[in-house]
Amino acid sequence: MTQPPPPPPNQPPQGTPEDQPPQGTSGAPQDTPPQDAPPAQGAFGAPGEPQDAPPQPGSGAPTPPPATPRTPPPATPPGPQLDKAPQAGYGYPGQPTPPPVGPPQPPQQAPGYGYPQAAQPAQPPQPPTGPGYGYPGQPGAYGQPAAPATVPYGQQAPYGQQPGYGYPGQQPGYPTPQPYPGYPGQPTVPMPSQPTGAGRKINSQVAIIVAAVVAIALIIGGGVWYANSGDDKSNTASTGGTTGGGGDEKGDSGGTGGTTASGGTEKVPGDPAAKVLFQIPAPAVAKDDSVDVTGSWLTEKAYVKSGIAEIVGYDPAKGTKLWTIKLPGPVCAASRKTTADGKTAVVFQPKMPTKDSTAGCSEVAAIDLVAGKQLWRKTVTSGDYPITFDNVTVGGNTVALGATEGGSAFDITTGKLLWSPKAADTCYDSGYGGGTKLVAVRKCGTYDERELHIQTIDPASGKVLSEYKMATGIEYASIVSTDPLVVAADVGESAQDGSGISDFFSIDNKTGKLLTKISAPGEQFAARCDGITEMEKCAGIAIGPNRLYLPTEEHDGTGEYKETNEIVAFDLTTGRQTGQRADAGDGYTLIPLRMDGTNVIAYKSAPYREGGQVVSIDGGTFKQTKLLQNPSTESVRDAESGMSPESSELIYAQGRLYMAAVYAHDSSGSGDKEYLALAFGAGD
């Protein structure tokens, strides 16, 4: 689809001498790619990747079904607390487990972000602490839940508001945060669920009008890595062949040697200093035009990247082409999940669009990433017209596609149609979250009176297994993870920062019961989700064993003109911060990419004269171990800065970092070298 060009990337200060001038000719990379790398590779420039274009409005609106008002989820808004020192995770070896506390008191109105807290009620004895982010709040303190009233199960309570960020406060009848749990969290008592969705065959059209948020981070899936967000433990393969807690990986570390990080499988190189393994030049694009090139995957034998109307497999260390799958038109959306044997799916246009036009994203194909071939190609019609798909994912052995007309699904191996929209449907599946589980975001009602049903469904039949109904009026939701089930939403449009997130909802897959709601105000946290057209498109979020990991927004550091941030953790059962915190350091910014066992793999953007890093954050102590240090030469820095985690696809696995663009655009007027993808690796 033709898209407007993005704003240029951040440029380095002018007139400032370099600590390390580039070596060789002007603009040439310090790290020269191997001789057998693609011949079209040129010297590094300063690419800037465009932002995802806003989705186009749909047409028509479904007839709303009779709606039963629901009370909103409970408010548990613990933001980064600035007056407590970081602690190791609860239940971590060597750490005492705090005693249970009494029922929490109503939150007190507090000054703005970063202001010291007022005096708090007496607490159980605690060790001396210093200021810092991420320490669990105390009962009665700002950001902690109000004491719940008792309401018989199934009855409704008045809709109320608590002071703070505009989100409804704790409501009677909703789950109450529990005393501090061990690591991982305490078990919950299942409660009955009442699925009310109208089956799985979906429906009439609705209007979707809002700008999309660009966001891509990283996920692992059965030996295949994709640039994505939260990590489903069901999607991760360990070296022993069993699934595990959020990111155990197959394969070696890319020849780097070294030891394995405690709690994970990524090896720590003896020397993390990286070199440029290869760079893939951006494809040529017509003047003032841009083309979608969404999609990056990594298997044990290939780095796979979407180009213009093609999907190409490259040698993961050298960048030489291994195979190419030609498509009739550009890729519009790519699944962030794969099957255990490396199959995935993409949505694309049936032909190349002309300038300022689109042919519609009506084609879906299953791709075998290991064999490097297309398995099948399908369309779904509504009357006489093909349906234009907004998103695609893989759940179990099913390719699931969302659209304003409703959801459709195919068997990924055979291409058999499993379900498609029905004209009589009054609700519709706007999108899905995948993995070994499949979760639908089902919409009912009209705009401003929207009802969202988060349904865990059988991937083969579409049967609803459990359901959670969100508060009426929430228009969009994103599936951060399907196992554990975590949903993000901007409730009441209170985030006001374009992030698409004000709160996270932790839901029991089996019962549909809300375990807890975690408030994540946009001015405090830097995670982002789309939720408008791409329900799995999130960045800056990692989901571990009973843990949600989020980056804080950048703020002043200790050095002059130096900003920094942190990664903090929340318990998915209680909603409380765990006390864990990883500090980026002055001038650096930490962004979670994915889980590696119980560890968090994070990308660390660097100050102006430094190269970026990849670090492993221990899931218990939050100690950081450097896995990769990118070169600091100007040409390499400029190329790397054009691949920001917020607007690009980042994969770190097997000791290598891959950074890729999601749009190719005309750069003839900029004079800067553009890249489709960059690869970095440490060691020999």
Side-chain angles (χ1 to χ4, degrees):
M1 183 182 296
T2 302
Q3 303 293 343
N10 294 332
Q11 300 297 321
Q14 300 300 314
T16 304
E18 295 294 329
D19 290 342
Q20 296 185 37
Q23 298 180 8
T25 59
S26 177
Q30 179 183 20
D31 298 275
T32 305
Q35 296 301 316
D36 53 356
Q41 296 169 2
F44 277 104
E49 300 308 324
Q51 306 296 313
D52 280 352
Q56 300 301 315
S59 60
T63 303
T68 302
R70 298 292 183 94
T71 55
T76 56
Q81 288 118 32
L82 303 176
D83 61 343
K84 300 293 182 182
Q87 301 288 324
Y90 293 122
Y92 189 79
Q95 297 296 328
T97 301
V101 296
Q105 301 301 314
Q108 305 298 317
Q109 184 71 24
Y113 174 57
Y115 196 86
Q117 292 183 340
Q120 307 297 330
Q123 303 300 321
Q126 300 290 335
T129 60
Y133 282 84
Y135 191 80
Q138 304 298 329
Y142 167 71
Q144 298 303 316
T150 302
V151 174
Y153 176 72
Q155 295 187 14
Q156 306 300 318
Y159 188 95
Q161 296 285 338
Q162 295 287 351
Y165 294 99
Y167 188 77
Q170 176 92 18
Q171 297 299 320
Y174 278 88
T176 305
Q178 302 299 314
Y180 302 102
Y183 183 86
Q186 305 294 329
T188 58
V189 179
M191 298 180 68
S193 174
Q194 302 290 335
T196 58
R200 191 82 347 250
K201 317 282 185 180
I202 340 283
N203 92 308
S204 41
Q205 300 174 333
V206 291
I208 295 182
I209 306 174
V210 199
V213 179
V214 177
I216 304 196
L218 177 70
I219 191 81
I220 309 167
V224 181
W225 294 263
Y226 185 88
N228 186 34
S229 59
D231 284 37
D232 295 340
K233 65 183 180 182
S234 60
N235 284 346
T236 63
S238 70
T239 54
T242 59
T243 58
D248 295 335
E249 301 164 307
K250 294 180 180 179
D252 58 27
S253 63
T256 60
T259 60
T260 300
S262 175
T265 62
E266 284 290 347
K267 291 183 179 178
V268 180
D271 181 2
K275 62 182 179 181
V276 179
L277 298 177
F278 60 87
Q279 64 261 20
I280 304 172
V285 175
K287 186 176 181 181
D288 299 326
D289 202 1
S290 62
V291 180
D292 201 326
V293 290
T294 298
S296 296
W297 303 265
L298 181 65
T299 73
E300 293 180 348
K301 296 183 179 180
Y303 170 65
V304 185
K305 178 73 186 103
S306 295
I308 296 180
E310 65 180 9
I311 299 174
V312 182
Y314 300 90
D315 183 285
K318 301 176 181 178
T320 50
K321 284 188 179 182
L322 301 177
W323 47 262
T324 300
I325 299 172
K326 292 293 185 181
L327 302 172
V331 171
C332 308
S335 172
R336 293 162 174 79
K337 304 294 170 63
T338 68
T339 62
D341 57 354
K343 296 182 179 70
T344 192
V346 295
V347 171
F348 53 94
Q349 298 182 45
K351 62 181 180 180
M352 290 300 298
T354 58
K355 187 175 181 180
D356 301 324
S357 72
T358 177
C361 301
S362 58
E363 306 287 318
V364 57
I367 305 296
D368 188 328
L369 299 171
V370 177
K373 65 180 182 180
Q374 177 180 299
L375 300 176
W376 48 259
R377 172 182 169 187
K378 302 286 184 178
T379 60
V380 180
T381 59
S382 177
D384 296 330
Y385 299 96
I387 291 175
T388 296
F389 299 114
D390 296 322
N391 51 76
V392 61
T393 192
V394 173
N397 202 48
T398 296
V399 175
L401 304 111
T404 55
E405 290 89 346
S408 303
F410 297 89
D411 182 281
I412 197 168
T413 302
T414 65
K416 176 185 176 182
L417 181 65
L418 301 178
W419 66 79
S420 61
K422 286 186 175 180
D425 290 337
T426 55
C427 299
Y428 72 102
D429 287 2
S430 60
Y432 301 89
T436 54
K437 296 184 183 297
L438 186 61
V439 175
V441 178
R442 188 165 178 81
K443 290 191 175 185
C444 300
T446 58
Y447 188 79
D448 288 338
E449 292 295 329
R450 184 75 67 201
E451 290 183 357
L452 295 186
H453 301 256
I454 308 301
Q455 299 178 333
T456 298
I457 62 179
D458 184 288
S461 66
K463 177 183 177 181
V464 177
L465 303 177
S466 68
E467 177 179 83
Y468 172 72
K469 181 181 175 183
M470 303 191 77
T472 301
I474 298 177
E475 183 67 19
Y476 305 108
S478 297
I479 306 297
V480 180
S481 168
T482 61
D483 187 16
L485 178 52
V486 179
V487 174
D490 185 359
V491 181
E493 299 181 355
S494 58
Q496 298 182 351
D497 64 346
S499 68
I501 304 171
S502 66
D503 298 86
F504 292 91
F505 300 80
S506 177
I507 302 168
D508 188 300
N509 274 109
K510 294 181 180 179
T511 66
K513 173 189 173 182
L514 178 68
L515 300 177
T516 191
K517 180 182 70 64
I518 299 171
S519 180
E523 67 268 32
Q524 295 183 17
F525 296 99
R528 304 177 71 85
C529 284
D530 181 341
I532 298 171
T533 60
E534 297 191 57
M535 282 55 193
E536 285 187 317
K537 193 173 185 180
C538 295
I541 307 170
I543 305 293
N546 200 42
R547 291 293 184 266
L548 165 67
Y549 298 96
L550 297 177
T552 66
E553 287 284 0
E554 291 185 47
H555 56 85
D556 290 341
T558 58
E560 188 175 11
Y561 308 118
K562 297 287 188 181
E563 290 197 332
T564 187
N565 83 327
E566 297 76 25
I567 290 177
V568 297
F570 292 84
D571 186 291
L572 287 175
T573 303
T574 68
R576 297 178 185 271
Q577 287 190 35
T578 65
Q580 297 161 299
R581 185 189 79 228
D583 299 305
D586 279 352
Y588 291 87
T589 303
L590 274 169
I591 300 292
L593 296 180
R594 63 170 176 85
M595 300 301 297
D596 175 28
T598 57
N599 296 343
V600 180
I601 300 295
Y603 176 74
K604 184 183 284 191
S605 61
Y608 170 52
R609 292 185 176 88
E610 300 294 331
Q613 301 175 10
V614 176
V615 297
S616 176
I617 302 171
D618 187 279
T621 65
F622 258 37
K623 176 184 177 182
Q624 298 179 45
T625 301
K626 189 186 296 185
L627 301 177
L628 204 70
Q629 171 67 67
N630 286 346
S632 60
T633 53
E634 181 180 14
S635 57
V636 178
R637 293 199 322 265
D638 287 347
E640 183 181 358
S641 66
M643 301 285 190
S644 69
E646 295 82 7
S647 60
S648 305
E649 299 168 339
L650 272 64
I651 298 176
Y652 179 83
Q654 304 175 355
R656 304 183 183 107
L657 173 66
Y658 301 88
M659 311 179 80
V662 295
Y663 276 89
H665 59 93
D666 172 38
S667 60
S668 57
S670 68
D672 295 326
K673 183 70 176 178
E674 300 285 347
Y675 296 95
L676 180 65
L678 306 170
F680 299 90
D684 297 330

